[in-house]
Amino acid sequence: SVEVMTYEVASHHAGIDVATVLEAQLSIPYAVAVTLLRGRPGLREFTPEVWEDPRVRDLARRVQVRPDEALTSRYPAERPAEVLIRQRGAPALRFAVAQPLGEPSNPMTDAQLGAKFTTLTSDILLPAGVDPDAVVSSALGAGSVSDVLGLLRGYERMRAGS
């Protein structure tokens, strides 16, 4: 079983049977199930073929989300959560986070930000002949804004032609 303890406001994001991208994005049980079954969730995990997968639906139904007074008292300065995973014949696993990754108090590293950009843009940029990793290298390296814009011109040309 999986139990997610969090602050009161977040505990309301406990929808189980998702049928839209927005419902999937706002569902803690869905996010937990997808992460446990498929690894780090990306755009492909927020599609009908994934939210209709019986394994995802079954696991999402076994994720319990509940408010925790101690965590609620830390909100809004923090947006904390704790996850407890119980497995048959194995020790329980507990994970805790005070702030989600990407918050000003818990920023992404350049490498994490670059990986996220590449994941989110590859399906759009690669067909246009633009290497997302080159855009990241230029943006995070010594490249100038004009270097990054030059890399993205292929995408602009593709959009203009469609």
Side-chain angles (χ1 to χ4, degrees):
S1 71
V2 180
E3 185 176 2
V4 178
M5 292 76 61
T6 189
Y7 56 101
E8 178 72 34
V9 173
S11 72
H12 298 287
H13 294 285
I16 293 171
D17 293 316
V18 302
T20 68
V21 172
L22 185 59
E23 287 175 353
Q25 290 173 331
L26 294 176
S27 169
I28 292 171
Y30 179 80
V32 169
V34 164
T35 301
L36 290 173
L37 291 170
R38 298 174 62 110
R40 182 179 303 267
L43 293 177
R44 289 181 181 97
E45 280 67 45
F46 294 90
T47 58
E49 52 269 12
V50 177
W51 69 60
E52 292 170 0
D53 180 331
R55 296 175 315 130
V56 172
R57 293 176 88 75
D58 179 59
L59 184 53
R61 286 185 183 100
R62 291 186 279 145
V63 176
Q64 299 171 4
V65 180
R66 67 173 180 81
D68 180 270
E69 282 187 34
L71 299 177
T72 298
S73 72
R74 294 163 49 189
Y75 176 80
E78 293 180 353
R79 295 189 302 147
E82 294 182 11
V83 179
L84 179 63
I85 302 173
R86 293 182 186 94
Q87 309 169 82
R88 286 188 192 112
L93 303 172
R94 181 179 292 272
F95 305 91
V97 63
Q99 288 284 48
L101 184 62
E103 288 291 309
S105 62
N106 188 18
M108 292 180 157
T109 64
D110 286 352
Q112 290 168 321
L113 189 58
K116 183 173 183 175
F117 177 85
T118 298
T119 298
L120 293 175
T121 62
S122 290
D123 289 346
I124 296 168
L125 296 180
L126 287 173
V130 177
D131 179 3
D133 291 326
V135 174
V136 170
S137 294
S138 183
L140 295 177
S144 67
V145 171
S146 61
D147 292 337
V148 174
L149 291 175
L151 290 167
L152 294 174
R153 285 204 176 91
Y155 175 68
E156 289 175 351
R157 285 191 296 274
M158 182 192 81
R159 286 192 69 210
S162 55

